């Protein structure tokens, strides 16, 4: 996707040192995300304890050999819940983000590509929903759709879809106004050809960046919903649910709340760091303002005005 | 003339939005599995006949559109019905809850916007690495730390570890938490916008006139960034609603958020409906005002 | 007489790249100096440095010395420069629309400049006391420029009167009405006059005009240049005039500096330099200019056969921006025809509807009424043109930065029309290479991406791409207006040679009458959505009939290097020249 060997080849700038170094923050962020993914995937092999088994004789205990991170108010193993929680947290938020993009970007792009009216209708509908903040909309949707992971994912997806749709529309319209889109139309390129060949590659960066912004916000919203008692179900606890469950026992078992809290913040933090880097490197606006200088002058200095013309007619 | 039309259009859009939200809420409340009679039935052991009778007396056996029309008719007359669980007028319950939420939201809003403006304008007027780092921290904080986590952490640190119990009693901690969250939502975009506004040709003209930096900042840079500031208010409102909900629950404040949430758990739909309608109307009203302000500030739009 | 501005060894670097090197020149009081160069020559950076308005990241070389009226300038010290700006020196910029604050009325913006004259008691005084300063250099640093310290505080009533006086000075009709307006309610020419009024508020000793006319329409350009000249005669300020336009420089300047790639390549009195340039680069600029002034004589085309394009009574509306708004009619019944092999030039100012016409002509937009016949087929009601028609007509756009997808290599971009138009076969690559060679590029450009090409090279790629399908009609929509003059000339000369070889017809849309005349056999003049005059190129230029065409032709720059400094007998070189 990246444009290879940009400036050096054109001889516009002195060649920079060969290898680009990754900033430390980005490396750490990627490491945290990979660790969480690995923890979620390998949860059954990393702990023998179940995240749901209650041991009412060992409630609110600190870390021990049996329970590496202690137990919560129902005597459940915090470590096991942390590992399994990583899995469900990621599953729910990734699925929610995917639905937000399927609706916002997928439907939005199709509507935009197929003319004025479909797009006008879709965005009028989104405009009506927009007045409700995402959290409230998700809350209401869960009220209507019922509880459980399915409705939760759907509610998260729908509540973030307007945001994605607006970003999609803005970037789409910016690209659609470009002359190269007009040029493709003048070569009798159809709507889908233009969408696939010219618009998608140029807005992909913006969409990927947007996904990296929506994902942590999905995690946060899910945790808020869990805290309000309408989020993930008790038998598939997310980190948000763990924090919510333990929040009333913060005095007796601070570790039970601090562990998922720190994990959640570390994950969202890492994702947003990655999102910021993506934005910086995939920003489609970046390249075009940097008009190359020098080539015309070099060309001009060596050729009299009619040289090329003569070469053509010869 | 065109200005009046534009204002009317934004009012109309606001009304449509509000109507749509009321309808959406109404139908979501009705399709939710298990209505209030089921809940009360389970709790109080009502027989099937009693349940049917209760549904009839509450009008729940009528077709949905008719119920909606009835409700809207009563609501327009100021009657939001009675709470099913508490058997009190909904209007009265909203009346006691509203001031709590309004105070919390207004204070958080002021604190958040003031903090964001202060940081962004200071970083524009006197660029420094420290200010930019502070902006990054506040921004990342609001993205990564859900308000209720911050609230829990505040309880843990201040109330339990440090033992400053009085801190928890008042609005101080919720306002700080929500305000910080709000500031973080907007401060980064504000900073970027101001940074770009400083590069605008008409700001260069102002510098070429030899105006003082403060005059340039307030008369030339800030107006250019104003549309974005206003557009960001949507984010602030979203943050305010989510923040108030969680903070009221966490700190046991008897506001709209707690009321709504309790109603949702108890399927007390007259309260859900009225509370969501109230919140939606407030948001739509604020959005419409913001839209009009935008038109007033920019002479090109009128 | 001491120079008002004296620059020695000016060097500016942005992010380590040196954009101005070892530039030296000086300007005498009341003199007009033109800084001439194409884009990237560093001329605007020089102006910004003098005003202390360099963009962040720009550095001035250590050994650079700038003196304003004998006193050293420190462009990097904003606080030190502020008292000078808008008082002793002021500046007007290129694009007046974006350079005026859209949120303030005209009166408010000029008032700001006037208010400042009162505060701090530092209004400019023309009386200069030089003796004491040289005796006491330490005191001089403290009270630098304090000699612009005469008190001239305006009351609000006086300011009001002064605003009207300034607006009248820049020859704006009805100053009171203009003063109340916002910038977006003014035309481009009026906006630039307001900028000038603002810059002249303190009667500065040095006015810097950075391409003050390049964003304006041709007829307005001429008016603004004349105004600058008149004002200077009345107010006696020195003028640093920055331009890429040799004709404008010849019109205005006593002396010129020609810049290329950050260096001054030639320096001297305008008349002498332009009549007899010594350096290669200047010579090329001048010869480009002269070529443009003397278009090639083309034999008249035999117009026997069916026209390739016939447009009759074409009407086009832009839909209303909002509900209840009125649609904007961009074309009011336009009729024209283009014969095979012929070039029809369409000339008009911005907003005249000429680009809309170009897009309608090959079915990229749909007309509201009228008839378009392309190669004998009526296309006005067609939703899409079929491939056979598309192959026969092609369009090239204005902005070479936007016409190529940044993510496709030159080869991929050029393959696209072949594939879409069903012309693809096994020797695609060879054909693409041959097409690139035709436009003066080569096979080594195939793998490049648009951002690795210069503007001129990109436009050449676009031309090569459009010619791949061997079209019989080529529509050129302002294709050279984003390019530098010398590159413009190369591109249109090349296009003309290609046309002679291949025989396609052209519709050449442009705003620069000289370029359009150079390319075209016939010219149609557009004004506000109508063709006001149409005929053979020479006739339109030499004997225009329509009043609008007449003003357009009158605004056309004259020849340079012959009689430029006539009537400036009073002028002589007053001090030694820095450039050796």
């Amino acid at each position: 996707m990246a444009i290879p060997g940009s400036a050096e080849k054109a001889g516009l700038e002195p060649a920079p040192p060969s290898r680009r170094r990754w900033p430390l923050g980005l490396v750490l962020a990627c490491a945290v995300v990979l660790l969480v993914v690995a923890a979620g995937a390998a949860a059954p092999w990393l702990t023998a304890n179940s995240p749901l088994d209650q041991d009412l004789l060992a409630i609110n205990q600190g870390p021990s050999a049996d329970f590496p991170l202690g137990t919560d108010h129902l005597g459940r193993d915090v470590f096991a819940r942390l590992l399994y929680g990583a899995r469900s947290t990621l599953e729910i938020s990734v699925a929610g983000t995917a639905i937000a993009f399927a609706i916002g970007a997928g439907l939005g792009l199709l509507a935009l590509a197929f003319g004025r009216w479909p797009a006008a209708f879709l965005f009028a509908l989104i405009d009506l929903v927009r007045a409700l903040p995402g959290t409230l909309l998700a809350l209401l949707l869960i009220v209507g759709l019922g509880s459980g992971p399915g409705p939760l994912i759907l509610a998260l997806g729908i509540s973030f879809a307007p945001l994605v749709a607006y970003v999609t529309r803005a970037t789409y319209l910016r690209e659609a106004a470009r002359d190269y889109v007009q040029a493709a139309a003048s070569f009798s390129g159809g709507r889908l050809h233009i969408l696939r060949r010219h618009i998608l590659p140029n807005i992909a960066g913006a969409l990927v960046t947007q996904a990296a912004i929506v994902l942590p916000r999905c995690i946060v919203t899910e945790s808020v919903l869990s805290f309000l008692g309408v989020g993930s179900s008790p038998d598939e606890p997310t980190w948000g649910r763990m924090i919510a469950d333990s929040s009333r026992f913060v005095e007796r078992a601070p570790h039970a709340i601090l562990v998922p809290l720190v994990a959640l913040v570390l994950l969202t933090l890492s994702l947003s760091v990655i999102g910021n880097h993506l934005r910086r490197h995939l920003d489609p606006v970046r390249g075009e303002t940097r008009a190359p200088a020098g080539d015309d002058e070099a060309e001009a200095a060596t050729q009299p005005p009619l040289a090329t013309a003569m070469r053509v007619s010869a | 003339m065109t200005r009046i039309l534009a204002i009317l259009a934004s009012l109309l859009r606001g009304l449509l939005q509000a109507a749509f939200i009321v309808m959406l809420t109404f139908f979501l409340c009705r399709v939710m599995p298990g209505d209030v009679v089921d809940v009360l039935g389970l709790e109080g052991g009502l027989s099937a006949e009693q349940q049917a009778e209760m549904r009839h007396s509450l009008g729940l056996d009528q077709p949905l559109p008719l119920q909606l029309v009835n409700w809207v008719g009563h609501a327009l007359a100021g009657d939001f019905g009675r709470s099913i669980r508490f058997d009190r007028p909904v209007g009265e319950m909203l009346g006691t809850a509203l001031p709590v939420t309004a105070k919390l939201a207004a204070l958080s809003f002021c604190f958040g916007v003031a903090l964001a403006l202060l940081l962004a304008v200071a970083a524009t007027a006197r660029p420094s690495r420290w200010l930019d780092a502070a902006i990054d921290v506040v921004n990342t904080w609001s993205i990564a730390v859900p308000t209720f986590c911050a609230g829990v952490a505040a309880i843990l640190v201040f109330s339990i570890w440090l033992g400053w119990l009085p801190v928890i009693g008042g609005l101080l901690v919720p306002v700080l938490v929500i305000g910080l969250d709000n500031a973080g939502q907007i401060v980064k975009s504000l900073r970027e916008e101001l940074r770009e506004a400083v590069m605008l040709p008409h700001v260069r003209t102002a510098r070429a006139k030899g105006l003082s930096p403060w005059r340039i900042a307030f008369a030339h840079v800030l107006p250019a960034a104003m549309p974005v500031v206003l557009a960001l208010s949507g984010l602030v409102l979203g943050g305010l609603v989510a923040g108030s909900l969680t903070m009221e629950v966490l700190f046991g404040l008897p506001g709209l958020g707690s009321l709504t949430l309790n109603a949702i758990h108890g399927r007390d739909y007259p309260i859900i409906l009225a509370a969501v309608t109230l919140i939606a109307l407030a948001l739509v009203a604020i959005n419409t005002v913001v839209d009009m302000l935008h038109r007033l500030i920019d002479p090109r739009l009128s | 007489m001491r120079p008002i501005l004296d620059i020695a060894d000016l060097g500016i670097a942005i992010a380590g790249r040196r954009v101005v090197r070892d530039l030296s020149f000086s300007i005498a009081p009341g003199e007009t100096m033109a800084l001439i160069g194409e884009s990237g020559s560093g001329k605007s950076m020089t102006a910004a440095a003098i005003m202390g308005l360099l963009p962040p990241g720009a550095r001035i070389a250590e050994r650079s010395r700038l003196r304003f009226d004998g006193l050293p300038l420190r462009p990097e010290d904003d606080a030190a420069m502020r008292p000078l700006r808008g008082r002793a020196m002021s500046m007007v910029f290129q694009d007046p629309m974006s350079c005026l604050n859209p949120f303030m009325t005209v009166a408010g913006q000029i008032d700001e400049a006037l208010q400042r004259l009162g505060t701090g008691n530092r209004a400019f005084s023309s009386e200069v006391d030089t003796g004491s300063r040289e005796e006491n250099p330490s005191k001089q640093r403290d009270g630098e420029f304090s000699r612009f310290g005469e008190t001239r505080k305006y009351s609000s009533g006086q300011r009001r009167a002064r605003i009207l006086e300034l607006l009248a000075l820049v020859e704006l009709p009805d100053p009171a009405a203009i003063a109340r307006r916002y910038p977006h309610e003014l035309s481009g020419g009026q906006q630039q006059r307001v900028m000038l009024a603002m810059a002249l508020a303190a009667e500065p000793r040095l006015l810097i005009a950075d391409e003050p006319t390049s964003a304006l329409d041709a007829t307005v350009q001429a008016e603004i240049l004349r105004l600058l000249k008149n004002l200077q005669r009345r107010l006696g300020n020195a003028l640093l005039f920055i331009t890429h336009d040799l004709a404008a420089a010849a019109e205005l300047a006593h002396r010129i500096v020609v810049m290329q790639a950050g260096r001054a390549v030639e320096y001297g009195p305008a008349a002498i330099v332009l009549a007899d340039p010594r350096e290669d680069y200047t010579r090329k600029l001048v010869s480009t200019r002269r070529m443009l002034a003397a278009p090639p004589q083309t034999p008249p085309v035999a117009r026997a056969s069916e026209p390739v394009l016939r447009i009759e009574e074409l009407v086009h509306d832009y839909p209303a921006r909002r509900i209840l708004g009125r649609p904007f009619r961009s074309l009011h019944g336009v009729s024209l025809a283009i014969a095979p092999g012929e070039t029809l030039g369409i000339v008009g100012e911005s907003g005249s509807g000429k680009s809309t016409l170009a897009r309608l002509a090959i079915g990229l937009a749909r007309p509201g009424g009228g008839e378009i016949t392309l190669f004998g087929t009526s296309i006005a009601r067609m939703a899409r043109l079929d491939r056979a028609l598309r192959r026969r007509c092609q369009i090239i756009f204005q902005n070479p930065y936007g016409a190529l997808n940044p993510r496709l290599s030159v080869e991929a971009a050029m393959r696209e029309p072949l594939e879409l138009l069903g012309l693809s076969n096994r020797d695609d690559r060879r054909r693409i290479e041959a097409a690139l060679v035709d436009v003066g590029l080569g096979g080594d450009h195939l793998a490049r991406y648009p951002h690795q090409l210069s503007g001129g090279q990109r436009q050449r790629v676009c031309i090569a791409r459009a010619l791949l399908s061997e079209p019989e009609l080529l529509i050129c929509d302002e294709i050279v207006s984003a390019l530098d003059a010398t590159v413009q000339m190369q591109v249109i000369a090349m296009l003309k040679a290609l046309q002679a070889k291949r025989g396609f017809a052209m519709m050449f849309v442009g705003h620069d009458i000289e370029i359009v005349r150079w390319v075209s056999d016939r010219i149609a003049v557009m004004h506000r959505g109508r063709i006001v005059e149409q005929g053979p190129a020479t006739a339109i230029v030499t004997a225009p009939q329509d009043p609008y065409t007449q003003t357009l032709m009158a605004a056309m720059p004259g020849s340079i290097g012959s009689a430029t400094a006539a009537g400036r007998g009073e002028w002589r070189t007053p001090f030694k020249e820095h450039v050796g």
Side-chain angles (χ1 to χ4, degrees), chain C residues 34-92:
Chain C
L35 217 51
I36 299 176
E38 306 195 314
S39 57
S41 63
K43 56 190 194 306
S44 290
M45 278 302 148
T46 306
I50 297 167
M51 288 290 286
L53 293 175
L54 282 172
R59 286 266 160 280
I60 293 187
E62 283 292 319
R63 57 201 191 86
S64 306
R65 293 286 172 271
L66 288 85
R67 284 177 166 267
F68 184 78
D69 203 11
L71 288 173
L73 281 180
R74 291 193 308 260
E76 276 162 332
D77 182 352
D78 199 59
M81 291 302 293
R82 212 178 301 140
L84 283 171
R85 294 186 207 134
R87 290 187 179 133
M89 54 166 98
S90 50
M91 186 162 176
V92 288

Side-chain angles (χ1 to χ4, degrees), chain B residues 2-3 5-6 199-213 215 219-221 223-225 227 295 297-302, chain C residues 51-54 56 78 82 85-86 89-91 93-94 97-104 109-110 112-113 115-116 182 184 195 198 322 324:
Chain B
T2 46
R3 180 175 285 204
L5 275 179
M199 303 288 182
L200 286 174
H202 80 252
V203 176
R204 187 185 51 185
T205 308
R207 289 183 63 205
K209 280 198 259 181
L211 303 181
S212 74
R215 170 104 205 175
H220 298 270
V221 178
R295 283 174 196 290
I297 288 173
D298 195 336
R300 286 168 299 185
L301 288 177
S302 57
Chain C
M51 288 290 286
L53 293 175
L54 282 172
D78 199 59
R82 212 178 301 140
R85 294 186 207 134
M89 54 166 98
S90 50
M91 186 162 176
F93 301 93
Q94 178 169 359
M97 178 65 182
S98 55
C99 286
L100 287 168
N101 185 341
F103 306 98
M104 282 170 90
Q109 300 191 44
I110 301 179
E112 243 183 6
Q115 263 176 352
R116 227 189 116 252
Y182 286 98
H184 71 277
M195 281 292 292
M198 215 150 72
R322 56 169 82 122
L324 301 173

Side-chain angles (χ1 to χ4, degrees), chain C residues 354-553:
Chain C
K354 55 189 194 303
S355 285
T356 313
L357 180 65
R359 275 162 210 240
L360 283 170
I362 67 160
L364 285 178
R366 291 177 71 184
E371 195 51 65
I372 306 170
T373 314
L374 194 59
F375 306 114
T377 316
S378 167
I379 62 163
R381 310 280 168 272
M382 277 164 83
R384 296 189 58 183
L385 270 63
D386 59 20
R387 280 181 175 185
L389 272 180
R390 283 260 180 255
R391 277 181 215 160
R392 300 173 71 186
C393 63
Q394 286 292 323
I395 185 165
I396 308 170
F397 296 99
Q398 167 177 10
N399 180 358
Y401 298 100
L404 292 172
N405 186 337
R407 295 191 185 272
L408 295 182
S409 67
V410 168
E411 185 177 355
M414 293 190 64
R415 266 180 203 282
E416 188 177 29
L418 291 178
E419 283 159 12
L420 288 172
L421 294 171
L423 298 167
S424 191
N425 56 32
R426 273 190 310 178
D427 60 343
D428 277 357
R429 198 184 159 91
R430 193 194 54 74
R431 277 154 70 197
I432 291 173
E433 261 192 68
L436 285 177
V437 170
D438 272 356
V439 295
L441 299 173
D444 53 328
H445 291 92
L446 279 176
R448 295 221 189 154
Y449 284 84
H451 69 275
Q452 298 169 318
L453 302 175
S454 68
Q457 288 171 330
R458 288 184 204 204
Q459 206 55 294
R460 285 165 193 264
V461 171
C462 291
I463 293 171
R465 180 171 65 166
L467 293 179
L468 271 177
S469 66
E470 303 278 332
E472 291 156 60
L473 170 65
L474 188 63
I475 298 198
C476 303
D477 184 7
E478 296 255 29
I479 59 168
V480 294
S481 47
L483 307 176
D484 283 330
T486 48
V487 185
Q488 273 185 344
M489 204 57 221
Q490 290 169 14
V491 170
I492 60 172
M494 180 203 76
L495 193 64
K496 239 3 218 181
L498 280 168
Q499 190 188 23
K501 195 169 146 196
R502 303 210 183 165
F504 49 82
M506 269 204 287
M507 177 169 168
F508 192 90
V509 177
H511 67 278
D512 184 334
I513 178 68
E514 287 190 295
I515 288 178
V516 173
R517 176 184 60 167
W518 205 88
V519 175
S520 311
D521 304 318
R522 285 190 308 124
I523 293 179
V525 181
M526 286 196 72
H527 184 50
R528 297 189 181 163
R530 291 190 172 83
I531 291 184
V532 293
E533 192 169 356
Q534 179 166 194
T538 338
I540 292 276
V541 174
T542 52
Q545 302 299 312
D546 182 83
Y548 173 73
T549 319
Q550 284 166 355
T551 49
L552 202 62
M553 298 309 149

